[in-house]
Amino acid sequence: MEDVPVSGFETLAYEKSDGIARITLNRPNHLNAYNIRMRDELYEVLEAIRDDNEVRVGILRGAGRKAFCAGADLSEFLTAPPPVKARRARFDRDIWRLFLGIRQSMIAALHGYVLGSGIEMALCCDIRIASEDSRFGLPEVGLGIIPAAGGTQTLPRAIGVSRALELLLTNRWIDADEALALGLVNRVVSATSLMDTVEEAAKKIASLDPMAVRCAKQAVVRGMDLPLADGLNLERLHAASLNARRLHGVGDR
Amino acid sequence: MIRYRKEEHVGFIEFAGKCTRWSDLDVVAAELRDIRDRVRSDEDIRVLLLSGFEKIRVPAGPESPEECEGAGPGSIGMFLQPGAEVAAFDCPTIAAVADGLLGAAVEVALACDLRIAAENATFTLPSLAAGCIPCDGGTQRLPRLVGKAKALELLLLGSTLPAPEALRIGLVNRVVNRQDLLKTVQAMAFEMASRGPIALRFAKEAVKRGVDLTIEDGLRLEADLYFLLHTTKDRSEGITAFQGRRKPQFHGE
């Protein structure tokens, strides 16, 4: 497995140490707005994480003080390729499927503006920890479009259909406390302790048996798509393979 | 039974007539179906505001053999259901709940996308005590909204749920002072109606249809609707207006 070069990315910074991969959205002068270049670089980084067994947990954060990510870069929107071509590109390199399918645990460290694609990227992570100054909003419908980074699917699964519809249809911005109450984020901490809190959580996860972590995530995430009986079977399969490995060394990497 | 009026892009559906017999629900459902035909052919309507649910006070089931016509086991689905009619609207539906709701009234409110309640509003499902079960979506929409445990508690105990608790468990989106209810809901409806009308409908469709699909199929649905929006003038208008720092003028095309 090649190490992803730390330099050479225009819109992201990536580094890993002690089993923790750190992705930083790195366009602070543009509030880390998500553009085509970021999409392509993020895809590369996610592929690298997917293929790197040394990575046990990933952290996603945003550079600069003002925003985790304030949404998509609209300056590219009106020159987008025609819909049929664009749809093909969307599925040929399916970044959201890749992100949601990452087997290692992913933690989002949120601060400042978390808007549009920002919320959607955060929702591709397993755990979301936000600083007190975070503010969340979904402006897409006011622009005549809908979220296209999975938000219409991941948000209702996270906070419920009705609460998701309210945020989507009214673009009502919510603060960190309300995000916590809705279940959009797991925890709210002070801005100064955000990264310490996230690092501590990451270290904890990185210290666990990586196969157990992957099995737990798979059982939960894949199980959500299944009727309960099938989900229980999935859990049994994962548990059995973990036990076999633990007790008999079967399947050791 | 129903008063319908239109103001700018908002349709107002008010349950105004006396709806006290189980068979009155047929009339309500038929009138809702007529309104839906009107709304479907009226490109102007972008959001629907429903009120007057408290006027619906019917028994838990038919009270005479005559009322049973269309309600026997061989005719399941032959009787009209107001909740089903409300759920079939393409555009977003907002419920204003001003008072205590019983049984069928709760089910119609549950069929709306969002619910805003006055502080004195309550929700009760008394069917079980009468030897019946809800038959207009209550056993399906309620658990999907508030979770299985709370839904079973409300159904099996028939307890009366006050507005603040309804807010906490997710049955309503917001609770306001009684005198502010109409004002708040109208402001919400008009604000929503100022957004891209096609985007509003597609956001609703992506969420409501997507939640019953696997996440992967849901993401494909979202992408397909998103790319369809690329073909609209509203999308260009929305983005251009944002870049020009002016309010967008959407026309629903």
Side-chain angles (χ1 to χ4, degrees):
Chain A
M1 284 143 296
E2 295 151 18
D3 268 356
V4 174
V6 171
S7 61
F9 287 133
E10 201 177 273
T11 66
L12 299 178
Y14 176 74
E15 56 100 5
K16 73 172 192 189
S17 63
D18 300 324
I20 302 175
R22 293 175 190 81
I23 309 174
T24 306
L25 306 177
N26 199 17
R27 298 183 74 211
N29 291 337
H30 301 273
L31 301 179
N32 299 322
Y34 179 78
N35 62 3
I36 293 175
R37 186 79 193 245
M38 188 184 281
R39 177 197 70 191
D40 292 340
E41 293 183 351
L42 185 59
Y43 192 90
E44 231 184 286
V45 164
L46 290 171
E47 275 194 315
I49 290 177
R50 178 194 65 192
D51 297 337
D52 186 350
N53 281 338
E54 281 176 12
V55 172
R56 298 183 170 205
V57 58
I59 296 174
L60 179 67
R61 54 179 292 259
R65 302 194 56 201
K66 290 200 192 151
F68 167 77
C69 170
D73 192 336
L74 291 181
S75 65
E76 294 172 340
F77 268 46
L78 292 176
T79 50
V84 172
K85 209 166 172 200
R87 181 178 181 270
R88 177 104 191 250
R90 161 85 177 81
F91 292 128
D92 278 353
R93 274 167 70 88
D94 194 338
I95 185 173
W96 306 116
R97 184 170 184 227
L98 172 61
F99 200 152
L100 285 164
I102 291 282
R103 295 187 176 241
Q104 296 95 326
S105 183
M106 297 290 296
I107 307 174
L110 307 173
H111 77 284
Y113 294 114
V114 188
L115 309 174
S117 340
I119 292 188
E120 295 180 275
M121 283 191 277
L123 283 166
C124 287
C125 299
D126 309 323
I127 298 169
R128 283 163 286 288
I129 301 180
S131 72
E132 288 163 342
D133 63 17
S134 311
R135 299 188 64 207
F136 303 81
L138 288 160
E140 288 86 347
V141 171
L143 298 167
I145 57 179
I146 61 173
T152 67
Q153 304 306 306
T154 52
L155 185 63
R157 284 166 174 78
I159 70 174
V161 165
S162 210
R163 289 161 164 175
L165 278 175
E166 190 195 340
L167 295 183
L168 273 162
L169 301 176
T170 66
N171 187 20
R172 183 169 71 85
W173 286 26
I174 62 174
D175 61 16
D177 285 339
E178 190 172 353
L180 182 67
L182 289 177
L184 177 55
V185 302
N186 296 68
R187 249 201 284 179
V188 174
V189 297
S190 71
T192 44
S193 57
L194 175 66
M195 287 321 298
D196 283 342
T197 309
V198 172
E199 287 285 341
E200 194 186 315
K203 279 195 185 68
K204 177 70 197 281
I205 296 174
S207 74
L208 304 171
D209 174 2
M211 279 313 291
V213 170
R214 288 178 181 222
C215 285
K217 176 167 174 170
Q218 285 302 293
V220 169
V221 171
R222 293 283 148 230
M224 292 272 287
D225 274 343
L226 302 170
L228 179 59
D230 295 330
L232 293 173
N233 270 337
L234 182 65
E235 179 189 88
R236 255 195 290 276
L237 282 171
H238 279 299
S241 93
L242 266 180
N243 283 334
R245 188 174 152 276
R246 223 165 31 88
L247 299 172
H248 307 292
V250 173
D252 260 343
R253 282 180 284 108
Chain B
M1 293 276 182
I2 300 182
R3 252 182 243 142
Y4 173 74
R5 69 180 173 92
K6 160 180 148 172
E7 192 183 323
E8 289 174 33
H9 298 292
V10 177
F12 292 78
I13 295 177
E14 187 192 342
F15 301 103
K18 217 170 107 156
C19 183
T20 52
R21 298 179 326 141
W22 196 81
S23 50
D24 288 337
L25 292 175
D26 269 5
V27 180
V28 172
E31 290 186 20
L32 281 168
R33 184 169 282 201
D34 285 341
I35 293 172
R36 206 167 69 243
D37 286 338
R38 279 167 75 177
V39 167
R40 197 179 287 136
S41 54
D42 182 355
E43 298 279 324
D44 253 356
I45 299 293
R46 302 178 178 183
V47 177
L48 290 166
L49 198 165
L50 291 86
S51 61
F53 299 89
E54 57 280 357
K55 294 270 183 3
I56 301 172
R57 298 188 84 80
V58 305
E63 299 196 298
S64 66
E66 291 73 41
E67 279 202 306
C68 264
E69 225 172 71
S75 59
I76 294 206
M78 300 293 283
F79 56 93
L80 295 177
Q81 301 163 295
E85 300 300 328
V86 167
F89 280 108
D90 284 338
C91 55
T93 49
I94 308 175
V97 182
D99 215 322
L101 302 192
L102 267 184
V106 175
E107 293 184 90
V108 186
L110 284 175
C112 297
D113 299 323
L114 308 179
R115 279 152 296 282
I116 316 294
E119 78 235 300
N120 58 293
T122 60
F123 302 84
T124 316
L125 289 163
S127 318
L128 271 287
C132 305
I133 65 168
C135 59
D136 194 7
T139 68
Q140 301 307 303
R141 296 199 175 97
L142 185 61
R144 282 166 173 76
L145 206 43
V146 306
K148 212 170 50 168
K150 271 294 172 191
L152 281 171
E153 180 190 329
L154 290 168
L155 274 166
L156 298 176
L157 295 180
S159 34
T160 294
L161 185 73
E165 177 76 356
L167 177 68
R168 199 185 62 79
I169 66 175
L171 198 151
V172 303
N173 295 75
R174 233 190 291 177
V175 172
V176 296
N177 289 332
R178 186 169 193 170
Q179 61 264 34
D180 294 333
L181 177 65
L182 249 348
K183 193 175 53 167
T184 306
V185 190
Q186 284 193 35
M188 196 182 213
F190 283 116
E191 218 257 310
M192 207 185 273
S194 74
R195 300 173 185 287
I198 310 173
L200 282 173
R201 293 201 307 272
F202 280 10
K204 171 171 169 164
E205 183 176 340
V207 169
K208 298 206 99 160
R209 283 196 186 271
V211 82
D212 281 340
L213 305 171
T214 62
I215 180 97
E216 187 164 328
D217 287 339
L219 290 173
R220 290 193 80 97
L221 173 64
E222 175 189 91
D224 282 343
L225 291 172
Y226 174 74
F227 289 117
L228 260 179
L229 284 168
H230 275 225
T231 67
T232 64
K233 291 188 187 143
D234 279 350
R235 176 180 177 272
S236 309
E237 164 62 10
I239 293 166
T240 314
F242 180 82
Q243 292 170 329
R245 299 194 197 297
R246 60 170 176 82
K247 260 189 87 79
Q249 299 298 319
F250 295 115
H251 296 295
E253 43 183 35

